[in-house]
Amino acid sequence: MASGLCGAAGSVLLSSAPWGLGRRSRRMMTLWTQGREVFGAAVSAVLPENMMHGSLALRGERLLVDGRSFAPTGNVHLVGFGKAVLGMAAAAERILGDHLVRGVVSVPHGIQEALRQAGKGEMLLGPDSRITVLEGARHNLPDRDAMEAASAIRELASGLTEQDLLLVLISGGGSALLPAPTPPITLEEKQSLTRQLAARGATIQELNTLRKALSQLKGGGLARCAHPAQVVSLILSDVIADPPELIASGPTVPSPADPGECWAILERYGLRSSLPQSVRDVLSGLGGADMGQGQAGSGLVHNAVIGSNALALEAASARARELGFLPVVLSHAVCGEVQAVSRLYGLLVRFASQAQSEEGLEGSLREAILGMGLEVGVPDRDLLHTLKVLEECRGGALCLLSGGEPTVQLRGKGKGGRNQELALRVAVELAQGVSSLPAPLGVAFLSGGTDGQDGPTDAAGAIADPLLVSEAREQGLDPAEFLDNNDSYTFFTRLSGGDRLIRTGLTGTNVMDVHLVLIQGEEAGSGAHAAAGRS
C-alpha cells in the first residue's frame, strides 16, 4: 500500500533529457544508486541475525518466542534445515546461551566455506558450539548425507520429554535437506516418483501431498517425533503467501496423509500402475489411525513465520520513502513466466508516463494491464490500486515494489538466472516504448534474489533502464540473441564491464526475489536538492 505524499527524489538536479541515447545521464546513475540502496534495505531486513533478535529473546527466566512465553530451565534443544538455517542457528545460540542443551542442523553442502569466504563470520558457529552442523543435498537434491542429517534430527527429537522445548529453524531448501522416506521406500524410489510427477506437470501442492505421505518427518512428522515436548518453529518463508505447510513440506505442521487423495494424484498422472511395491505398501498402510495420529500433540506446536518477502518489501518501502519516493507495493506474490512479468512492468511504466502527460490515458492500456493479472498472479484489486497511485502522483517520484518468484522457460544453454533475464526483458520493453512516451521520465528497474545468488552465477540480479538496449547495440551486443539462449549473465557481464549486475555475495537468507521500478517525473527532478537534504 502507498503511504505519504508524492516525493521529490534524488540527490542531484539531473539532465532534462533523461531518455538521451548514447550516454548515461546523471539522473539515471542516481536512480541506479537509489535502487541498490532500496534492494539492500530489503535484504538487510531479513538477515538471520535481524530476524532472530526480533523473534527470540530471554527476559529474566522466561523465553519469549514470537510473542509467546516459555520457561527454559536449561531444556532447550534445537534442530534446523534449510539454506538460511546456519545463520539462524548461530544467532539462536548467542541468544539462548546456557539454556541450549544441544542441536543439529542440516545445511547445504559447502555453505560453511562459502559463508567464510563471503566474510559472513557472524553466521558461522564457534568451535565450542553445542550445535552439530551436517552438510548435504549437493545441487539442492536429497542425498545420503542429507538422509544422515535427517536421521540425526529425528533421533534428537524422539528422545525428548514433556519437560523439553524443541526449537525448530526452517528455511527454503529444507525439504531436500530433510529426506526421511518411510521404510521400505528408498531415497532413490521417492526421488524417481517426484521427478516423474514434476515432469508430467504436477503442481507443488500435489508434489507436497505425496512427499508428506511417504515421509517420516514431513507433514508434521517431526512434531510427532518430538511429542510430548513443546515444539516451536521459526520459519523463513521462500514460498508465495507463506503457507507453513508448504515450506520445507511442513515438518512441524500437523497434516495427516489422505490415502485417497494420494491415489487420485497418481491416477491423474498415469503413475499408479508403475509404482514400486514399497510405495504401494506404504500408501496402502495409511488409514484412519494414521490420520488421527497426524493431529497428536498439535496443541504443543507453535509455528511462526518470522521472515518473508512481505517483510523485505516493507523495509524497502521505508528506505524508498527516506530517499524521497512514494512507495507502492504491487504484490509480494508475483509469479508466471518472465516474459509476461516483464510485459506487465513495461505497461506500468507506459501508464505512469501517460499519467504525467496532458494528453491523457489510453483506455486500452488500462485494460491491457488488468488483463494480465491472472498470468502474473496479481489480483485485480492490487492492479487497480497501483494504477490509481500512478495516476494521482503526477510529476512526482514513485517506487513500485513487488516480490515473488517468476519462472524462466529454458530454451538455450546459456548462463543466467530469472532475475537477470527479467531485467533484460524489461529493458527490451522499455526500449520499445521510448519513442512513444508522451512525457519524459527517469526510469530504472532492478530485480534481485534476496539470497544473493541468481541461478548458477555470482550475481543476485541486474539493473535495467530505457538506455540499455541502445547501449548494448553500440557495443555489438544483441539482447534478443542472449535471451534466446537464456544467456543473460553473459550479456550483463559483457555490457559496459558488468556495471549493471547486482553483486551482494552470499547473503545467508532467502525470501524469494525483489523487483523495483523507480519512476521520477520532471517535478521530482527539480526538487532533488531538498530530498537530498532530508536523507
Side-chain angles (χ1 to χ4, degrees):
M1 298 293 288
S3 59
L5 300 174
C6 288
S11 56
V12 252
L13 187 59
L14 298 157
S15 167
S16 60
W19 295 120
L21 300 180
R23 67 184 182 88
R24 296 175 179 174
S25 66
R26 293 175 63 198
R27 182 183 205 178
M28 191 63 68
M29 297 305 291
T30 298
L31 287 175
W32 284 20
T33 300
Q34 292 167 328
R36 290 176 187 271
E37 287 188 34
V38 173
F39 178 68
V43 174
S44 179
V46 291
L47 291 177
E49 184 83 16
N50 296 335
M51 289 185 302
M52 294 299 291
H53 278 282
S55 306
L56 185 68
L58 281 170
R59 294 287 185 270
E61 292 302 313
R62 305 298 295 179
L63 176 65
L64 301 182
V65 185
D66 187 43
R68 299 184 64 168
S69 178
F70 301 92
T73 54
N75 63 343
V76 180
H77 303 256
L78 182 151
V79 297
F81 31 91
K83 295 178 179 180
V85 153
L86 193 57
M88 295 171 74
E93 185 166 32
R94 286 191 287 270
I95 294 168
L96 293 170
D98 291 338
H99 291 291
L100 178 64
V101 178
R102 59 173 176 151
V104 178
V105 294
S106 177
V107 298
H109 177 80
I111 193 169
Q112 293 179 96
E113 182 58 29
L115 287 171
R116 192 173 291 113
Q117 291 183 1
K120 303 285 186 181
E122 73 280 3
M123 296 186 184
L124 298 171
L125 296 168
D128 299 323
S129 174
R130 300 181 184 185
I131 301 172
T132 301
V133 180
L134 300 175
E135 295 188 356
R138 289 173 184 263
H139 311 300
N140 201 31
L141 295 172
D143 57 18
R144 291 293 165 183
D145 290 336
M147 273 191 71
E148 290 181 11
S151 178
I153 288 172
R154 183 168 180 263
E155 181 181 351
L156 186 155
S158 299
L160 302 181
T161 71
E162 65 275 6
Q163 302 299 318
D164 296 313
L165 184 148
L166 180 64
L167 184 63
V168 185
L169 308 177
I170 304 173
S171 75
S175 186
L177 288 160
L178 197 72
T182 302
I185 301 173
T186 66
L187 177 62
E188 291 73 21
E189 287 172 333
K190 189 176 178 184
Q191 283 181 295
S192 176
L193 178 59
T194 301
R195 280 195 297 267
Q196 291 180 72
L197 283 166
R200 298 186 185 203
T203 66
I204 185 63
Q205 290 82 2
E206 290 169 328
L207 289 170
N208 272 307
T209 295
L210 267 299
R211 283 173 178 154
K212 291 187 287 189
L214 304 179
S215 172
Q216 299 176 84
L217 296 178
K218 295 180 173 67
L222 178 59
R224 291 195 297 272
C225 286
H227 186 73
Q230 172 71 55
V231 177
V232 179
S233 293
L234 300 181
I235 304 169
L236 178 61
S237 173
D238 71 334
V239 177
I240 286 175
D242 310 324
E245 68 274 11
L246 291 187
I247 303 166
S249 300
T252 58
V253 181
S255 178
D258 182 344
E261 186 178 2
C262 294
W263 287 116
I265 292 170
L266 293 166
E267 187 73 40
R268 189 176 305 133
Y269 295 102
L271 293 173
R272 181 165 182 161
S273 61
S274 60
L275 285 178
Q277 188 60 45
S278 59
V279 175
R280 291 177 177 276
D281 291 344
V282 170
L283 290 179
S284 298
L286 296 176
D290 300 88
M291 295 180 72
Q293 185 186 13
Q295 300 296 335
S298 58
L300 293 173
V301 180
H302 176 62
N303 292 297
V305 176
I306 64 170
S308 65
N309 192 266
L311 181 63
L313 294 187
E314 182 180 326
S317 295
R319 183 58 185 142
R321 191 177 297 110
E322 291 172 354
L323 291 170
F325 291 86
L326 172 67
V328 53
V329 176
L330 171 65
S331 171
H332 51 78
V334 172
C335 56
E337 291 281 342
V338 291
Q339 293 97 320
V341 176
S342 64
R343 175 65 175 157
L344 174 65
Y345 289 134
L347 290 173
L348 287 170
V349 170
R350 182 172 176 79
F351 185 95
S353 182
Q354 288 191 5
Q356 307 271 336
S357 169
E358 299 297 330
E359 299 177 17
L361 290 160
E362 299 175 19
S364 59
L365 181 56
R366 185 187 300 270
E367 292 175 6
I369 292 171
L370 293 175
M372 296 199 67
L374 285 176
E375 199 172 356
V376 298
V378 181
D380 283 353
R381 66 178 182 276
D382 294 334
L383 288 170
L384 286 168
H385 169 72
T386 300
L387 294 179
K388 183 174 183 290
V389 175
L390 292 176
E391 195 168 359
E392 292 177 349
C393 192
R394 292 173 59 90
L398 285 157
C399 178
L400 179 62
L401 291 155
S402 58
E405 201 164 87
T407 55
V408 173
Q409 183 180 357
L410 295 177
R411 297 178 305 277
K413 297 182 179 180
K415 186 175 183 179
R418 60 177 176 267
N419 288 286
Q420 293 163 78
E421 179 149 337
L422 177 59
L424 183 51
R425 289 186 179 279
V426 168
V428 172
E429 292 285 343
L430 295 177
Q432 290 172 348
V434 166
S435 61
S436 60
L437 286 172
L441 290 179
V443 178
F445 173 83
L446 183 151
S447 183
T450 54
D451 61 354
Q453 294 180 306
D454 186 34
T457 76
D458 62 356
I463 294 175
D465 56 58
L467 305 178
L468 184 150
V469 171
S470 63
E471 186 175 313
R473 287 172 178 161
E474 288 174 1
Q475 298 176 33
L477 302 173
D478 182 356
E481 291 182 5
F482 288 90
L483 287 171
D484 287 342
N485 195 35
N486 298 118
D487 203 16
S488 54
Y489 177 76
T490 303
F491 173 87
F492 279 110
T493 301
R494 293 180 182 176
L495 178 65
S496 302
D499 61 356
R500 281 186 169 86
L501 285 169
I502 306 296
R503 285 191 169 101
T504 62
L506 188 66
T507 65
T509 190
N510 181 20
V511 294
M512 299 185 290
D513 303 333
V514 169
H515 310 152
L516 62 96
V517 186
L518 297 179
I519 303 174
Q520 189 181 74
E522 287 183 299
E523 293 178 21
S526 63
H529 287 298
R534 289 194 299 273
S535 61

